[in-house]
Amino acid sequence: MTVDAAGFRPLQPRTQPPNDSPEYGSTRLRHPARPALRIPQSVTETTGPVLSPKHFPPMPDLTMLTGQAAMGERIIVRGRVVDEDNRPVPSTIIEIWQANAAGRYDHPGDTHDAPLDPNFHGEGRVFSDEDGWYQFTTIKPGAYPWGNHHNAWRPNHIHYSLFGTGFAQRLITQMYFPGDPLLPLDPIFLATPDAAARNRLIASFDIEATQPAWALGYRFDFVLRGRNATPMENT
Amino acid sequence: MAAPRLTATASQTIGPFWHLIEHAEMADLLRFGATGEAITVTGTITDGAGQPVADAAVEIWQSSPPVSDSFPAYGRARTDTAGRFEFRTLKPGPVPGLGNAQQAPHLAVTIMARGILRGLTTRLYFQGEPLNDTDPVLSLIDDPAQRATLLARPAGPGAWTLDIRLQGENETVFMDI
């Protein structure tokens, strides 16, 4: 008999954005019309990939890619990765990507007429420590226009990818900045129905993380799905 | 059961510029020298208008064969302008399920893209596997046409292919895990 890791609890209603979110135009032809099939969790869902620093070396400073400083407002982002029971998720990879200070991605698909920065690519990677803490240094990404509707602009944001300990915990999200006037106009941010859940995507200014004469600090915590109390059993 | 103290962070779309974290070698699960039954897995992703989804991130995860130093059991691939993705991996074997159930060999598949706010999860099974008939997930799907959306077909020696339709006719069965 083997005892698997416990399954994950269901997500709480209204705290995740529905894929059918008409205000975000690209969802129109990309959301399934049928409801998702609820399946029992098995080892396929309760275990997951482990991306190790051996194969994915940390890149905790996005501002010094070439040895020359990237343009823009240098910032430090730190926080914790925990589960819904507030238990730290240690040694887990956090992949990071973002636009430069001018609001331009170093990506062939980005045609926004804003300058590229030869000293900024926009990819980072860190691992949480044994208590779930992570930290990286970057520049504050700029806002940029997009074609969703007339005069549409994405608020400043940083993209993240996390794995946790089971495939059902996989998380792709975006972190926003406090006080951004574009947030109440952004259909991607607004797609999460529950206001409290939505607002948890906004980092908070963190004077403790701020380094004197160097960089402002922001705090952003990730919460991954929690597991049931009882493990599943396979005979 | 006590209510959870915290609520899982909301998902957001991976967007069109996720290739900054792509690393093409991640589509090759044999890059660390794993040995076994090597296969290629390909497919094409189309949207509700039948048009290719050219900017998707496709991820696979398999619990068989198990993770080892030479086998990550996880891959990530882009779709190209034709909506096509390709992985190299090892053919999975049967996987334990709940109780005494055996699951048929399968890959977990997640699709993330611009216009997808929360990754779409499905499974890829292999046409002709005897365990498909008793697989606990496939058995939840009554309609044979819907079941068929999860069955990869052979595409040559060691090659399997499965087309994924996000919406509309022959829409892939996606799963809430």
Side-chain angles (χ1 to χ4, degrees):
Chain A
M1 188 184 84
T2 59
V3 178
D4 287 341
F8 294 98
R9 291 192 295 262
L11 290 158
Q12 297 182 55
R14 298 175 50 82
T15 63
Q16 296 288 328
N19 275 319
D20 183 5
S21 289
E23 298 295 313
Y24 174 22
S26 294
T27 66
R28 189 170 64 88
L29 292 168
R30 292 187 167 191
H31 72 272
R34 278 200 312 268
L37 175 71
R38 181 118 190 125
I39 67 167
Q41 292 175 11
S42 71
V43 65
T44 303
E45 290 76 32
T46 61
T47 62
V50 177
L51 279 64
S52 78
K54 181 179 153 198
H55 297 305
F56 297 91
M59 298 185 277
D61 187 348
L62 288 75
T63 70
M64 291 297 285
L65 177 71
T66 61
Q68 302 255 38
M71 289 294 292
E73 180 187 346
R74 189 185 303 112
I75 60 171
I76 294 161
V77 181
R78 72 170 185 182
R80 288 184 87 198
V81 187
V82 297
D83 70 13
E84 289 176 306
D85 298 303
N86 208 16
R87 288 186 289 238
V89 181
S91 308
T92 197
I93 193 170
I94 302 168
E95 296 173 287
I96 301 155
W97 72 104
Q98 63 169 82
N100 70 19
R104 176 84 185 266
Y105 286 87
D106 185 12
H107 184 290
D110 187 352
T111 55
H112 175 36
D113 182 18
L116 286 167
D117 177 350
N119 299 314
F120 188 80
H121 177 53
E123 180 190 18
R125 186 190 293 147
V126 291
F127 290 81
S128 60
D129 70 14
E130 63 271 23
D131 293 316
W133 284 96
Y134 75 92
Q135 177 170 319
F136 65 95
T137 302
T138 188
I139 53 95
K140 188 173 180 182
Y144 58 85
W146 61 311
N148 191 71
H149 55 271
H150 173 66
N151 211 7
W153 292 77
R154 290 299 330 276
N156 307 349
H157 64 276
I158 297 177
H159 295 266
Y160 296 99
S161 153
L162 287 87
F163 288 82
T165 57
F167 201 60
Q169 272 183 324
R170 186 88 176 89
L171 174 67
I172 302 286
T173 192
Q174 301 179 25
M175 179 194 96
Y176 302 96
F177 288 84
D180 192 327
L182 293 169
L183 285 170
L185 305 173
D186 181 56
I188 295 177
F189 173 71
L190 294 175
T192 300
D194 181 81
R198 196 161 69 222
N199 289 332
R200 281 192 292 272
L201 297 177
I202 305 172
S204 53
F205 172 65
D206 184 349
I207 191 67
E208 300 300 322
T210 297
Q211 291 191 11
W214 181 248
L216 295 185
Y218 288 90
R219 170 80 185 259
F220 190 69
D221 294 342
F222 298 96
V223 181
L224 304 181
R225 287 174 72 181
R227 290 186 188 262
N228 290 314
T230 320
M232 306 178 306
E233 290 188 359
N234 292 320
T235 305
Chain B
M1 184 170 64
R5 287 187 285 176
L6 300 172
T7 300
T9 302
S11 175
Q12 297 277 266
T13 179
I14 202 167
F17 306 128
W18 68 270
H19 305 89
L20 289 179
I21 61 160
E22 179 187 7
H23 304 291
E25 67 272 15
M26 292 171 76
D28 181 4
L29 286 70
L30 307 182
R31 67 191 184 279
F32 302 126
T35 55
E37 187 183 346
I39 57 170
T40 62
V41 175
T42 61
T44 298
I45 304 181
T46 49
D47 68 12
Q51 294 301 305
V53 175
D55 53 8
V58 185
E59 295 188 337
I60 59 171
W61 159 247
Q62 55 192 101
S63 40
S64 165
V67 173
S68 69
D69 284 345
S70 65
F71 186 61
Y74 163 80
R76 177 187 296 164
R78 67 158 72 195
T79 51
D80 64 15
T81 52
R84 189 174 177 278
F85 63 86
E86 177 166 353
F87 292 97
R88 261 198 345 145
T89 188
L90 295 178
K91 181 119 189 284
V95 174
L98 293 185
N100 293 316
Q102 272 287 70
Q103 302 187 79
H106 65 274
L107 308 176
V109 180
T110 296
I111 295 153
M112 298 165 289
R114 170 180 63 86
I116 297 175
L117 283 157
R118 190 156 181 273
L120 298 171
T121 299
T122 184
R123 283 183 171 195
L124 180 151
Y125 288 87
F126 299 86
Q127 215 175 66
E129 284 282 343
L131 282 170
N132 287 347
D133 295 334
T134 53
D135 179 83
V137 170
L138 288 176
S139 300
L140 295 172
I141 308 167
D142 294 329
D143 179 354
Q146 285 188 25
R147 277 172 63 134
T149 67
L150 306 182
L151 298 176
R153 59 183 193 278
W160 294 85
T161 191
L162 179 70
D163 292 334
I164 294 175
R165 183 75 190 257
L166 299 186
Q167 185 191 79
E169 197 182 348
N170 297 320
E171 181 176 303
T172 295
V173 173
F174 294 101
M175 294 158 197
D176 177 4
I177 59 171

